[in-house]
Amino acid sequence: MSPREGRLRWLSPVGFHWLAWTEWGPSEGASVVCVHGLTRTGRDFDALAAALAERGRRVLCPDMPGRGASDRLPDPSLYSNDVYAGACAHLLARFGDQPVDWVGTSMGGIIGMILAAMPNTPIRRLVVNDVGPFIPAASLARIGEYLGRDWHFPDLAAAEQHTRKAYAPFGALTDAQWRHLTETSMRPHPEGGYRLHYDPAIAEAFRTPPEDIAFWPVWEHVAVPTLVLRGAESDLLLPDTASRMAERNGVRVETIPGCGHAPALLDFAQTGLVAAFLEEGHA
């Protein structure tokens, strides 16, 4: 099964930009939107999207602004979750009055919470992968360590070494899975070799020492059934945060062994867990 490609224009405070995505499964019907983490692309969800498509679901996996095939933004201050949510609202409008399920890893989970908390949200069921309404400064500092550099690699082998090191918390992936994550997040450099797909300017927010981030009021307005996945060794979604999230009705927390931030959603056990949750509310 191969994905289709699509794109649309979305409006930011400074103009229109292209938002790109890969699409799996039928061209209409019950839909799922999968949104990646800070430095990743929609292709991280290939395994999950294929599994959901086999169950008859239409799946769209966008590249957030400044990543992958989507436009880079002219002002680094626009790289914020509220702006990303606005871009995704344009995407959600394509579904008309139909409800949509949302799967979000890290940053994608935050965007999902923002949209699910809105009045009249179209989000029917929400999967939040290893993120919550409290993010400790130490985890943000770790992420900031590999952001901001305009990395250049002589070949894919060197690029894969970087991928394995930067995303070691994803867990014990197969060689094929590491190669997939590498190939889908690199772009050929005009002078030879490869560079990372994302705009280095997304690191602007990490240039000052990070502080703890809390947005519990947003979480308190999320009323849709929610599955929270937590990597057993995660430094970003802490056990106390996950436990507090589980206190809300309709929330289930599942701990994924053998990984930290964040579960890669590449193996059958993880994709099956997500697919089963989404099927619970889909007749």
Side-chain angles (χ1 to χ4, degrees), residues 152-272:
H152 180 230
F153 308 101
D155 50 39
L156 278 176
E160 184 175 330
Q161 288 181 352
H162 169 82
T163 301
R164 287 174 179 257
K165 180 179 179 180
Y167 303 106
F170 282 12
L173 307 184
T174 67
D175 289 345
Q177 289 166 343
W178 283 120
R179 178 51 62 101
H180 171 76
L181 293 178
T182 301
E183 291 177 343
T184 56
S185 59
M186 296 292 162
R187 299 295 181 267
H189 195 283
E191 299 177 2
Y194 295 87
R195 60 176 177 82
L196 293 167
H197 67 92
Y198 61 79
D199 183 354
I202 68 172
E204 284 297 316
F206 290 81
R207 298 207 185 280
T208 57
E211 299 179 352
D212 293 342
I213 296 175
F215 49 97
W216 288 106
V218 172
W219 175 249
E220 290 167 2
H221 284 87
V222 175
V224 301
T226 303
L227 172 65
V228 178
L229 303 179
R230 179 181 181 273
E233 302 163 15
S234 177
D235 64 345
L236 192 142
L237 179 55
L238 301 179
D240 288 349
T241 305
S243 296
R244 182 173 170 183
M245 295 172 77
E247 294 173 358
R248 204 204 76 203
N249 289 335
V251 176
R252 185 165 85 236
V253 175
E254 296 284 352
T255 300
I256 308 299
C259 62
H261 182 74
L265 304 184
L266 290 173
D267 67 43
F268 178 78
Q270 294 176 22
T271 59

Side-chain angles (χ1 to χ4, degrees), residues 27-273:
S27 58
E28 57 184 26
S31 300
V32 184
V33 174
C34 301
V35 179
H36 58 79
L38 179 68
T39 61
R40 304 301 306 158
T41 78
R43 297 298 305 276
D44 281 11
F45 294 103
D46 280 7
L48 175 62
L52 293 173
E54 289 177 354
R55 299 181 182 219
R57 306 299 293 272
R58 179 188 184 191
V59 187
L60 274 67
C61 306
D63 294 338
M64 287 296 94
R67 287 86 166 170
S70 292
D71 281 353
R72 297 185 175 193
L73 301 180
D75 180 354
S77 70
L78 294 173
Y79 289 129
S80 69
N81 291 321
D82 288 342
V83 172
Y84 303 147
C88 289
H90 287 69
L91 183 63
L92 292 175
R94 293 180 61 88
F95 302 109
D97 61 357
Q98 298 300 309
V100 178
D101 291 335
W102 186 282
V103 180
T105 293
S106 195
M107 180 185 77
I110 296 173
I111 299 166
M113 286 187 276
I114 292 171
L115 294 170
M118 293 291 180
N120 302 312
T121 182
I123 295 178
R124 185 188 68 110
R125 295 177 83 80
L126 174 66
V127 179
V128 177
N129 185 19
D130 209 65
V131 71
F134 175 80
I135 303 173
S139 66
L140 297 172
R142 175 183 59 79
I143 292 170
E145 289 177 359
Y146 62 84
L147 275 179
R149 280 187 56 182
D150 193 8
W151 295 89
H152 180 230
F153 308 101
D155 50 39
L156 278 176
E160 184 175 330
Q161 288 181 352
H162 169 82
T163 301
R164 287 174 179 257
K165 180 179 179 180
Y167 303 106
F170 282 12
L173 307 184
T174 67
D175 289 345
Q177 289 166 343
W178 283 120
R179 178 51 62 101
H180 171 76
L181 293 178
T182 301
E183 291 177 343
T184 56
S185 59
M186 296 292 162
R187 299 295 181 267
H189 195 283
E191 299 177 2
Y194 295 87
R195 60 176 177 82
L196 293 167
H197 67 92
Y198 61 79
D199 183 354
I202 68 172
E204 284 297 316
F206 290 81
R207 298 207 185 280
T208 57
E211 299 179 352
D212 293 342
I213 296 175
F215 49 97
W216 288 106
V218 172
W219 175 249
E220 290 167 2
H221 284 87
V222 175
V224 301
T226 303
L227 172 65
V228 178
L229 303 179
R230 179 181 181 273
E233 302 163 15
S234 177
D235 64 345
L236 192 142
L237 179 55
L238 301 179
D240 288 349
T241 305
S243 296
R244 182 173 170 183
M245 295 172 77
E247 294 173 358
R248 204 204 76 203
N249 289 335
V251 176
R252 185 165 85 236
V253 175
E254 296 284 352
T255 300
I256 308 299
C259 62
H261 182 74
L265 304 184
L266 290 173
D267 67 43
F268 178 78
Q270 294 176 22
T271 59
L273 189 64

